[in-house]
Amino acid sequence: MKESVYKSYEELPLFLNAETVAKVLGVAPSTAYELMHEADFPTLKIGNRMVVPKEQFIAWVQRHTEGGIQ
């Protein structure tokens, strides 16, 4: 698994693209892109562009982390 280049949520931009999601999660960009097509992932579509609002991404991570809100 790749290591995340980010050390805290404060370092993230307001909107994350697939490349940024991949860097945060430590996965390949193709994996992040697939994740962004999942129904429960908080993707915002603007024309052909897909981005993830930072706060919704953090909430998604917390929901999908053991011990998080279910």
Side-chain angles (χ1 to χ4, degrees):
M1 182 166 100
K2 296 179 181 181
E3 185 176 332
S4 174
V5 298
Y6 295 97
K7 302 301 178 194
S8 72
Y9 288 130
E10 288 79 27
E11 298 176 23
L12 297 176
L14 289 177
F15 294 93
L16 293 70
N17 59 18
E19 183 179 328
T20 305
V21 170
K23 288 178 182 177
V24 172
L25 297 177
V27 298
S30 60
T31 302
Y33 188 74
E34 289 175 18
L35 182 61
M36 291 174 76
H37 281 88
E38 293 290 324
D40 74 330
F41 198 76
T43 304
L44 174 63
K45 295 178 182 174
I46 304 170
N48 291 331
R49 187 163 185 230
M50 295 171 53
V51 294
V52 182
K54 173 182 173 175
E55 297 302 323
Q56 291 183 11
F57 175 75
I58 293 168
W60 180 88
V61 169
Q62 290 172 339
R63 283 193 312 272
H64 289 82
T65 303
E66 187 174 90
I69 300 169
Q70 297 294 321

